[in-house]
Every structure is written in structure tokens, then in C-alpha cells.
Amino acid sequence: MTGGHPYSALPDHCFWSRVHRPGHLVDPVVASAKSDTPRLTRDTRIATAGSCFAQHIARHLRRNDHTVIDAEPAHPVIAPDIAARFGHGVFSARYGNIYTARQLLQLLQRATGAFCPAEDRWIGADGRLIDPFRPTIEPGGFPDDATFEADRARHFGAVRQVLQTAEVLIFTLGLTEAWRARADGAVYPLAPGVAGGVFDAARTEFVNFTVEETVSDFTAFLKLARRNNPALRVILTVSPVPLAATARAETHVLSATSYSKSVLRVAAEQLAIADAQTTYFPAYEVITSAQSRGRYFGADLRSVERAGVRHVMQVFSRHFAPDAEAATAGATKVVRAHGRSQSEKAAFRAAARVERALDTICDEQRLDAGIGDSEILGTTSTHQGTTLVENAKPVTR
Amino acid sequence: MPVIASLPTSALAPEHRALCRAAAPTLAAAGWQLALVDPDEGDVAGKIGAALQQGRDKNCDVLAIGAGAGIYAAMVLAELCSARSHEVAIDVALAIAPPSDILAQHVARTVAAGSVTPPDQALTSMLAAPESVPDLMRATSISRLVETPRVRVHAIPMARLKVPVLVHLFRDILGLKDEGLGGNSAFGMRDPAPEALLRADSMRLISIILQRDFAVADGTQRGLALARVDGAECSALMRLIRAKAEVARRTMRLRLPNVLCADVDQVTNALEGRWTLSMNGQLAASADHVDLTFHDCDAMLSVGAIADAANSLADELNGRTGNADPGNVRAARQASSLSDGAGAQTSPQSKLRQPDGLPAPQPLVAKRPGTRPARANPSGPEKTSGPAHQTATPRLLVLGHSHIGALDLAWAADQKRFGNISYHSAHLNAAAMKPNFHQQNRRRAIAPDFCDLLSQVIQKAAPDLIVALPMGNEYNAAAMTPVGPPFEFFTPGEMAIPTPGVWQLSYAIMRAQITALAERNALLILAAIADASACPVIALPPPPPIFDEAHIRANPGRFVAAIAESGLNPPGLRARIWALYVDVLGQALAAARPQLMPLPENVFEVREGQRFLAKDLWAQDPTHANGHYGAILLDAIVAHLPAKKASAA
């Protein structure tokens, strides 16, 4: 054997010094890492779920006219920002943030009737009902059992629809720390008492999922999902957003974050290795690596800035949706022209139409018939006291 | 097939008819039908009505247009008929109507002189080279503006043609500034007319009103009629006169090429009855053109001058000596031009005898249309601390958008009903007040200029009570026409059965939606009004919706396209959204200074378990209430007016 060493023939992306070049976008995706990397076209049916970072991904894909499944859309009469407050259009169904693999697994189990948690609703002081598994999607809660159950049934149907029709699921692993019911292990996205319910240590316990548990849960989820959708592919990401808080009193939140993200990162790696249809996308690395110099985090050092999301999605588009890369580069223009879901577009059109109408209705009143003699001379909306401001806009524009 | 109902009148009628007919083939080729309505042939109202009905029957657009502008409707539409917005066309026609008189006169003169410029050729040449014709300037450039979807055009009687319409059109639609109108025209309130003109115009206006609205045919009868009218009729007459005087205040300056204006007298004669040529040194001739300044006949009329003329006429008929001495007229004009409300209560105008004792007008925002007043306080609007006018009469200021029209109508119809109050209103959707909003840090906020104007209006009105009804139609963004698939929602506690196949929305999300709507519109304005004044403020809900779908479809207003496209929401849904909107306003204002005044119970009718606007209170409109509704509200509002001591004066 002559010359060289095991690193001699390796490509540039294997060398730290070669991937960090000023002015170059850091792109940690290695195209050849997986031969069957999914290629998303605008017709690929994509489902999204996961932690809050996953919302950015879903939003970006929608703005680039990807077919992101929305099985529980808001009615077009509801403005998108209001709809989002009620969990519409945030992910592919109205399940809110799903932080752990166990939560994802249990969602599908509940939606298919395989799991019925004992504590399936929280009753607020005002008698309104909160869904423990998506406590923020109905601000204020549901008014009564019938409404609650009808909405939940609709939601479960939507979950089934999403997972049966999706070609690709993009899932963002967010946390390892969670709270679960001692009685049956039902995992809540938020601890009881945070957004509903009452914390009772006798009924609820803390859990910090391990790599093995995460891998096992996600694998179980995949197995269940592929019963009805064998071709389902997965793109896994790990949320770069640090823990807002750790429940481990003996641990600093920095350490807890490091641990949690490490677990999730290892789990994602193992899942991608184990399953040919699962791919890891390194959004976590783009945001948190030294190359970003921390600039992708906001002032609170936790929120991911828009520039970071843009970087992530440029890399994502380049490798998973090359057709959309050009659109991503001109993101601003694309957002304006195509950046709304169908329901958003419908709502936008409706609002614009009505606002135009409102503007002119007001004037029409002045031009239209009124009462009394004053009408004859066209003084319908004049008055006899004082001319304060003359009415003067009978034109629609 | 669209219909134009043209109403040529005046001495120029033959020429108008000729030009309209000349345009007819072009219009017909483009699918228009020209319905000529000539008052000389009688039954004008019937013919216009027939034309309108014809349009309705054929589900087409109708253009009914008033005296003098008919010619231009035909001309402009002939140019634009290949497409597009009739509305723009009609407005442009109105906007350029005055010069059309001159052009028509020119055509008539050249034809009469044997130089043979046939009307159709004149039309063709004018359209081909509009810049060569005074004040038809840039007519062809209108084409690029006509991009809006085709909309229904409503009849606009000439009496409703207001100067701001012209100003708005020129400035905002044509995108031209006053100074840029081809260099030969300007509109504004300036240059007081000679007193002789004031008196002559006053008499003329009185004559017109008596003839048209009181069926008084000749001068003798006119005087007798004026002398015998009782208080109520006289009051109505004065209201009409005042309103007429208020809507038209303008000066038109024309630079006519001599080739078009060989004989100025001929032109001025042609304009008799509509425009008055000022002869006070404002006629200037040069080698190739003549500068003329015309005053709108109604423009220079102050209410005081009209009242004076009316009184003089009445006294003359009764054998008394009139009191219309020039000094009074001058004083009245000075008072009417005050832009500063200070001292207005002691103006000489108050000395004028007015048949109904109405308060004299004081323009509170006296400025050239389209211009902004200087900001009184660059750091923000001042909060008015209280009435500047210390009179014994409680002063009511009504602020809002279109729905305050019902209150205006009520006041105009019967002021005595409301006792001794002083009524003022300001339409916040007037061009001068727009925009109401702007974007600030990506959020919708009240525009600073609007704040200033609001503050000025309040300060000058010096109200004892403000009644605010802003953005009353905003709930219709969700209510009037379906947006997306059919949906419904129910109020908590309501025993209603969901309709199968209809999208069920939670009350919470609908409330959030309606709240967000109000927070970016009505509540912003209400807060601005409260901030601008220390006096009590009452907020009014908009009128409840109209139940009858047939009425709405027959009077769709600006919803015509939306209704045609999407239909109407069920009455129950419209009523629920209105009730929700009112509830949102009430909750938002519960802790605020503007208190929401509940609507009197007698404005409602209950249909299918929901509350709607009582039928006798509907306007000819899909959403608005009529003056009777306004009267009911004013009755309730007056009860909130604080009593004032006479000694305060």
C-alpha cells in the first residue's frame, strides 16, 4: 500500500476546514448518503408534524406551493392568523405540537382506537373542556362534552386521513422530557396545569425518554402507519430550539438541552440507518453548528430567526425539492404570489373583495335613495348644521 | 345589454342629442344601447325608469346620467366601450361635463356658421386628439385606468353631483394634481363673486327649487308661494337651499384657444344658468387664447345670502321692505368662509333673519379639496377639553362612516322633532379624511393625518356629545355573502340543530375572527375618537341585517357582483354574525369611555328566532337603514345630551 491514509480520498464535506468557507452557505446534506433520498415535487403529498420548529418547515413548504396535506383546514371565512391560533393550518391536522415520538405513536393509536387514555379531557374552572393531548388548539376550551367529542372524532378522522394519504411525513423530534399519566402512560404535550388541567403528582409523572425508547416508539409508529400506507416515507429532523425549561431540578437547562438534543439526534440517526424509507435532514446542524456563529438565534438565544429558517429550507429544497429551489431563492416574491394555502387564498380573496365593497357601500348610501324632500335635491347625507367634511368618494377602485 | 339613459337638457340639448346619436352606432356595435331621454319630449322620469328597468330585466349595467353630462357619457363610453368599467366611464363623464358644454357650443356654432364640423366628426376629432380641446385633456389616457371589473352603475341625478366628486376623480382616479389638469382648469373655493352675482344666483336658485320641488311655475307664483309658505315648508325650502349651496363651491378657469372661442359672449350665454363668468378683471386675452374664470352659479352662495334673498322676496311680496342690504350679504359671506370656529357664535351671520331659525353654517374643515391642513400639533392630536362654543344649545357631533347617513337623513327631514339641539356630522369615509388607517410596524393603525383631522373636526364642532358609528359594515365581511362552503355557528346556550352538510364553526373561533375584524377597524377608530376629545362619546352598533333576501337582491349595491357570484348567506347566519359583532363591540367597550348604546327595541323585527331590522326601516340598499331609523336613534341619543343653561351664552 503506497501513500495516503484513510482520509486521503474522502470528499470535501468530510473535512471541517473545507466546509467552512466564507460566503458559502453551509450545506451539511450529503447527496449520496442515501440512495433513495425522497424527491419532493409540488404534487408530492406531504404531511408535517412535530415540535414548533416543524411549523416553520410546514409554512415554508406551503408558501412554495408544495402539497402539504391539510386535513383540518379552517373555514375560509376565518383569517389565517386566527385559524392558526386555533391550530388550523399549522400542521397537517389539528394536533398541535408533537414533541416526542411516544406522543406521535399514541396519537395514531388513539386515532385508530388502539389506545383510549383514561384521562381524556380536563375540565376547567368555568366548566369548559380542554383536550389534554392538544391543549392549545381551542383557546378557552370546548363548551360541552358533545362539542368536544365531535371535534375529537373529526380530528381522529383527519389524523387517519393524513397518515393514509401522505407520501412523505416530515417529522421534527423536539423533546425527550415529557409528562405522562401514571395510570396508562398517556403522554401529554404540556404538563397538566400549564395550559389546562391540574397537576397531581399522584396521577402524573415525569419521563425523560432515552434513545432506545425514542427509536422504539418511532419504529412502532411507522409500523402502525404503514399498515395502511406501506409506501410512507419519512424525513426526520431534530428541532434546534433549546428547551424552554427542564423538569430535572438537578440539571442545568443547558445540560438538559444538550442531553435531550443528543438523544434525539442519535435516535434520528439510528432510525435513518435502520429504515430505508427514513432520511435524516440536518436542520439541527444548520442552525446550531459553529458555522452559524449563533446568528440564527434571536435575542432570547432560543427562537430561530427567519434567516436561519431560510437557510434550512434552502438546503432542504436543494436536496429534497430541487424543483422548488429557484422559488426558494426568490422567497419574498414567491410568498406574495403563491404563499397561501387554498383556504388562505380563498379567505384573502374574500376579505379583499368585501373590504372593497365596504369602502364603496359607504358611498353608495350617499348616492342611493333616502327619504324626504332632501332626497330630491340629492342631499341625502348632508345635514343642516355644519359642513364638517364633504362626502366625496363614489368610486370603486 | 348595457343601457345608457342620457338626459340632455338646456339650450344645448339639440347638440347633445346630435352627439349622443353620433355615438350611438359605436356604442351599439359594442353592445350598448343608447336610450335618449329628452325632457322636451316629456315623461323624463318614466323614460329613465324604463331604461333602468330594461337594464335590470336584462341583468345588465345601466348608466343614467344627468343634465349636461349625457353627451360625455356617450363620448367616453364610445371610446371605452370595448371593455371595462362603466363606473369609471360615468365618473369621467361627470368629471368632464362642464367643458362639454363649451365643446357642444363650439360644435353648434361651427355648424351654424356653415363651417360644417358635423357632430360626428367633432366627436371623432375630439376623441382622436383630446389634448387639443380644452378640458377634455387626456381623455384617452383614461383608457389605461379602466381596468377594474365591470360593475353596476347607478343613476346619479345631477343634483347629487358634488364638487368633491370632481376633485376626487381628477386627483385620485386620473392621478392628476389640480395643477396638472392641462393647464387650463382649476377647482377650488376661492375668489368671492361679486355681490350682484350672489344675489342673482340666489334668486335663480330659489326659482329653480320652487319650480322643481314646489311646483311653482312662474315668477309671480314663485313670490306668492314663498310668501305664503308656512314655517315647516319654509324650513324645508331652506334646507334644500342650504344643501344645494353646500355641495357646489367651485371656480373653473378655462384657457380657450381663440379658434374655439371667437365670441366669448356666445360661450357665456351658452353657460347661462350653470356657470357665471366673473368679469372682475379676470378676463384676459392674448394672441391665441382667452382666459376665463367661471364661478359655479351655486358656488358663491352662502346660506346667508340665499336667506337674505328669500326674505327680501317674501317681504317684497308682502309689501314690506327687504333687509337684504349689501352689508348683510357681505357679512354673511365672510361668516360662511370662516375656517376657525372661534367667535362664530357672534358672527354677523346670526343677525340674518332665517325663516326657520336654523344655525348658520360654519365650515369646520375649510380647505381646498384634496389638500391636508397643516398639523396643529406635530407631536399628535390635541385632546379637546370642552366646547369652544358656549351656547345654550346642546351640540351633537355624529362621526362615522356610511351608516350615519340615516341620522343625517333624520335630521334633515325633521329637525324640530329633536328639540333645541345643534346637529353636526362628519363622514369619516370622505375623501378628505382618508386614509383612516396606515401600517405602522406591520400593524394597522390610525393614520396620523386622520388623527389630526379628527381632532380639528371635534375641536371646531365643540360638541357636548359625540356619537360614533364607524365601520358599521365591517361585519358584512363575514356576513353578507358566502365565503367558501356553507357554514354556521351557534351562540352558547342556543338550542339549535346543526344543518346537515353545513360546516360547523365553533363560537369561539367565530368570535375570535369577528373580534380581530373589529380590533383592526371600528375599535381603532372609536379609540381615536375617545382620545381626541374629553367630551362624552357614545358608540352605536350598526343596524341589524335585513331579513328579506328579495330586498337585498333587488338592491344589491356594491354587493351585486359578490351576490351574483356567491349568493347570500342565510338570514339566520347574517343575524348571528351581526349579534356577535355587536357583542364583541360591547365587550371591548365595556371598560372604555365610548359606551355602546343598545339599539332601541323598536328597530327590530324577529324572524326565525333572530333579530333583524324592521321592515319599515330598510333603505333601498342591502345593509343600510333609512331616515326613520335615524330618527329613532336620534330620539334615543338626544336623551344623552347634557342640558345646558341659557346663561352659558
Side-chain angles (χ1 to χ4, degrees):
Chain A
M1 198 171 199
T2 58
H5 52 69
Y7 296 90
S8 300
L10 291 178
D12 285 351
H13 64 250
C14 294
F15 296 89
W16 186 272
S17 62
R18 298 178 199 173
V19 299
H20 173 52
R21 287 175 294 174
H24 283 245
L25 204 64
V26 172
D27 181 356
V29 175
V30 177
S32 60
K34 201 141 188 171
S35 58
D36 51 355
T37 296
R39 289 285 184 272
L40 308 180
T41 68
R42 289 208 158 85
D43 296 326
T44 306
R45 295 186 301 277
I46 303 169
T48 66
S51 70
C52 51
F53 186 75
Q55 296 178 22
H56 293 305
I57 297 175
R59 193 176 303 123
H60 177 91
L61 292 172
R62 282 200 176 96
R63 285 178 174 177
N64 283 283
D65 277 350
H66 280 285
T67 307
V68 179
I69 297 171
D70 187 359
E72 285 184 281
H75 190 279
V77 78
I78 306 297
D81 57 332
I82 304 296
R85 278 166 47 194
F86 284 76
H88 292 287
V90 179
F91 297 111
S92 288
R94 210 172 156 217
Y95 28 64
N97 289 344
I98 299 174
Y99 295 104
T100 63
R102 180 70 56 85
Q103 198 188 333
L104 178 67
L105 171 62
Q106 289 184 351
L107 169 65
L108 186 51
Q109 289 173 330
R110 289 190 298 120
T112 54
F115 178 44
C116 298
E119 190 169 323
D120 70 345
R121 68 199 70 185
W122 292 331
I123 303 174
D126 56 359
R128 297 179 73 86
L129 304 175
I130 303 291
D131 189 335
F133 306 101
R134 43 182 196 147
T136 60
I137 52 94
E138 187 75 14
F142 295 94
D144 50 53
D145 285 323
T147 308
F148 174 89
E149 286 163 9
D151 190 84
R152 188 176 60 181
R154 189 162 51 239
H155 171 61
F156 283 162
V159 171
R160 294 194 299 270
Q161 180 190 342
V162 168
L163 292 172
Q164 286 179 19
T165 59
E167 295 174 82
V168 174
L169 167 67
I170 302 175
F171 183 73
T172 300
L173 293 156
L175 295 174
T176 56
E177 294 189 13
W179 295 86
R180 66 184 174 196
R182 291 183 186 277
D184 52 17
V187 171
Y188 309 119
L190 293 170
V194 174
V198 178
F199 180 73
D200 179 358
R203 291 190 292 138
T204 310
E205 65 179 358
F206 174 74
V207 59
N208 197 5
F209 292 112
T210 64
V211 170
E212 292 73 24
E213 287 172 318
T214 302
V215 170
S216 172
D217 287 340
F218 196 83
T219 303
F221 160 78
L222 271 182
K223 185 177 178 184
L224 188 55
R226 284 176 176 159
R227 279 187 191 169
N228 292 307
N229 188 3
L232 179 66
R233 310 181 69 149
V234 176
I235 298 174
L236 273 179
T237 68
V238 172
S239 168
V241 180
L243 273 64
T246 177
R248 300 159 64 195
E250 75 286 0
T251 306
H252 195 283
V253 69
L254 285 178
S255 300
T257 296
S258 181
Y259 170 79
S260 186
K261 300 300 179 186
S262 300
V263 166
L264 296 176
R265 180 64 189 87
V266 172
E269 191 75 15
Q270 291 187 3
L271 286 165
I273 291 169
D275 181 44
Q277 306 282 29
T278 299
T279 302
Y280 172 71
F281 171 65
Y284 178 83
E285 286 81 349
V286 169
I287 300 296
T288 64
S289 69
Q291 280 81 355
S292 72
R293 300 176 188 273
R295 69 180 184 276
Y296 290 152
F297 285 108
D300 61 359
L301 302 180
R302 182 168 181 271
S303 307
V304 175
E305 294 279 278
R306 190 174 300 175
V309 176
R310 194 158 51 235
H311 185 167
V312 166
M313 295 315 299
Q314 279 183 269
V315 173
F316 182 92
S317 298
R318 180 180 300 168
H319 296 282
F320 295 99
D323 293 343
E325 186 175 13
T328 307
T332 303
K333 184 177 180 182
V334 169
V335 167
R336 285 181 185 154
H338 308 291
R340 299 180 174 89
S341 66
Q342 289 304 314
S343 60
E344 285 175 330
K345 288 172 182 171
F348 180 82
R349 281 197 302 271
R353 186 188 72 196
V354 175
E355 287 202 1
R356 282 197 303 275
L358 292 179
D359 205 30
T360 51
I361 286 169
C362 303
D363 303 304
E364 184 172 291
Q365 166 72 350
R366 291 198 298 277
L367 299 174
D368 217 327
I371 60 167
D373 289 338
S374 58
E375 176 198 349
I376 298 169
L377 278 185
T379 60
T380 301
S381 61
T382 61
H383 51 81
Q384 308 312 309
T386 306
T387 300
L388 298 176
V389 179
E390 292 172 313
N391 307 316
K393 195 174 182 185
V395 177
T396 306
R397 279 194 288 168
Chain B
M1 176 184 292
V3 173
I4 302 171
S6 179
L7 178 59
T9 59
S10 83
L12 303 175
E15 288 72 33
H16 282 200
R17 284 197 295 273
L19 286 173
C20 286
R21 286 182 177 121
T26 310
L27 295 166
W32 286 78
Q33 176 178 324
L34 184 65
L36 284 176
V37 182
D38 189 339
D40 295 338
E41 296 172 6
D43 193 23
V44 172
K47 288 180 177 175
I48 288 183
L52 289 167
Q53 190 57 49
Q54 184 183 0
R56 288 197 186 100
D57 292 344
K58 296 179 179 178
N59 192 28
C60 68
D61 299 328
V62 173
L63 172 61
I65 197 163
I71 177 178
Y72 262 41
M75 289 164 54
V76 176
L77 284 167
E79 183 198 16
L80 303 176
C81 60
S82 59
R84 306 165 309 220
S85 168
H86 308 165
E87 187 174 49
V88 172
I90 186 175
D91 289 329
V92 169
L94 289 171
I96 57 182
S100 79
D101 294 344
I102 297 172
L103 294 172
Q105 175 64 18
H106 164 65
V107 171
R109 180 160 49 80
T110 53
V111 171
S115 56
V116 188
T117 306
D120 54 344
Q121 287 185 18
L123 173 65
T124 304
S125 63
M126 284 187 289
L127 293 176
E131 67 279 1
S132 67
V133 183
D135 276 343
L136 184 59
M137 64 289 181
R138 306 186 191 184
T140 51
S141 68
I142 295 164
S143 300
R144 65 180 169 80
L145 301 163
V146 188
E147 296 170 355
T148 54
R150 187 160 150 153
V151 294
R152 180 172 177 154
V153 176
H154 294 261
I156 303 178
M158 200 60 171
R160 295 183 183 175
L161 173 57
K162 299 174 183 178
V163 171
V165 175
L166 308 179
V167 175
H168 169 75
L169 285 162
F170 277 118
R171 293 189 69 254
D172 292 347
I173 292 191
L174 298 181
L176 302 174
K177 295 179 180 178
D178 289 352
E179 295 77 15
L181 298 177
N184 53 15
S185 178
F187 292 89
M189 293 180 285
R190 47 176 105 143
D191 299 333
E195 287 165 7
L197 283 179
L198 290 178
R199 180 169 175 77
D201 288 341
S202 297
M203 298 302 289
R204 182 194 58 79
L205 187 57
I206 291 168
S207 175
I208 291 171
I209 292 172
L210 285 171
Q211 182 171 347
R212 183 165 59 187
D213 302 310
F214 290 81
V216 178
D218 60 48
T220 303
Q221 290 178 337
R222 178 190 67 193
L224 291 172
L226 187 62
R228 70 165 180 262
V229 292
D230 62 21
E233 287 174 300
C234 202
S235 173
L237 172 63
M238 288 309 299
R239 283 201 301 276
L240 296 173
I241 291 171
R242 179 173 295 136
K244 181 64 179 171
E246 285 175 352
V247 299
R249 300 173 185 277
R250 59 180 164 176
T251 298
M252 179 174 69
R253 290 194 175 87
L254 299 175
R255 171 164 292 184
L256 296 184
N258 281 333
V259 67
L260 281 180
C261 192
D263 186 349
V264 172
D265 287 341
Q266 196 171 0
V267 175
T268 54
N269 290 337
L271 297 175
E272 183 68 34
R274 177 122 181 245
W275 294 91
T276 301
L277 174 64
S278 169
M279 302 296 289
N280 292 342
Q282 298 185 48
L283 173 63
S286 69
D288 59 351
H289 66 267
V290 175
D291 286 322
L292 303 173
T293 299
F294 293 89
H295 298 288
D296 188 310
C297 283
D298 302 334
M300 294 297 112
L301 301 182
S302 71
V303 172
I306 299 170
D308 179 81
N311 290 334
S312 175
L313 184 61
D315 288 344
E316 190 178 320
L317 268 292
N318 287 325
R320 295 192 295 267
T321 302
N323 64 348
D325 64 272
N328 265 358
V329 174
R330 186 165 47 249
R333 190 174 64 250
Q334 288 169 351
S336 69
S337 64
L338 284 176
S339 60
D340 181 357
Q345 80 280 10
T346 59
S347 75
Q349 195 171 5
S350 61
K351 297 175 184 173
L352 290 170
R353 183 164 67 90
Q354 297 187 37
D356 58 351
L358 295 176
Q362 301 135 24
L364 297 191
V365 176
K367 59 191 184 64
R368 287 188 60 188
T371 62
R372 291 280 185 206
R375 291 185 63 167
N377 178 2
S379 63
E382 286 184 10
K383 179 174 285 194
T384 57
S385 57
H389 301 253
Q390 294 299 317
T391 65
T393 305
R395 298 172 68 86
L396 175 66
L397 172 61
V398 178
L399 296 172
H401 292 79
S402 60
H403 284 288
I404 69 172
L407 302 181
D408 288 344
L409 289 172
W411 176 257
D414 187 4
Q415 299 172 32
K416 291 180 178 175
R417 168 181 177 144
F418 310 108
N420 184 31
I421 67 169
S422 175
Y423 177 94
H424 311 267
S425 70
H427 288 249
L428 304 182
N429 54 323
M433 298 294 279
K434 284 187 172 182
N436 294 175
F437 304 102
H438 74 149
Q439 290 294 115
Q440 187 174 37
N441 299 326
R442 297 186 178 183
R443 294 178 66 87
R444 188 170 163 98
I446 293 291
D449 283 353
F450 176 71
C451 277
D452 289 343
L453 285 168
L454 196 58
S455 193
Q456 286 182 38
V457 166
I458 294 172
Q459 189 169 17
K460 293 186 177 181
D464 298 294
L465 176 67
I466 294 175
V467 171
L469 175 44
M471 309 294 288
N473 261 327
E474 63 179 321
Y475 81 91
N476 274 315
M480 180 60 80
T481 57
V483 178
F487 73 95
E488 62 189 6
F489 73 101
F490 300 110
T491 307
E494 189 178 351
M495 294 296 289
I497 300 171
T499 308
V502 171
W503 195 315
Q504 302 295 312
L505 292 185
S506 73
Y507 180 78
I509 199 167
M510 271 309 290
R511 189 176 185 92
Q513 173 64 30
I514 298 299
T515 301
L517 193 69
E519 285 176 344
R520 52 182 273 117
N521 293 304
L523 291 173
L524 276 181
I525 289 186
L526 287 170
I529 291 171
D531 287 345
S533 171
C535 84
V537 182
I538 291 175
L540 287 180
I546 291 169
F547 175 85
D548 186 30
E549 188 168 315
H551 173 88
I552 297 173
R553 289 187 183 279
N555 304 276
R558 298 297 184 198
F559 283 103
V560 61
I563 292 173
E565 178 185 339
S566 310
L568 279 169
N569 271 327
L573 177 61
R574 289 188 279 116
R576 283 188 180 90
I577 294 176
W578 173 84
L580 173 57
Y581 176 73
V582 175
D583 195 50
V584 163
L585 288 183
Q587 186 183 48
L589 298 175
R593 198 164 111 261
Q595 293 292 302
L596 190 69
M597 188 185 90
L599 293 178
E601 283 301 317
N602 54 343
V603 306
F604 293 103
E605 66 176 10
V606 176
R607 305 284 293 270
E608 299 176 0
Q610 299 289 327
R611 299 206 299 175
F612 296 89
L613 183 63
K615 185 173 184 178
D616 59 338
L617 305 181
W618 299 349
Q620 298 301 309
D621 176 274
T623 64
H624 290 92
N626 62 21
H628 301 303
Y629 174 88
I632 294 171
L633 260 60
L634 270 182
D635 285 339
I637 290 165
V638 166
H640 291 267
L641 267 172
K644 299 183 77 173
K645 295 178 181 176
S647 59

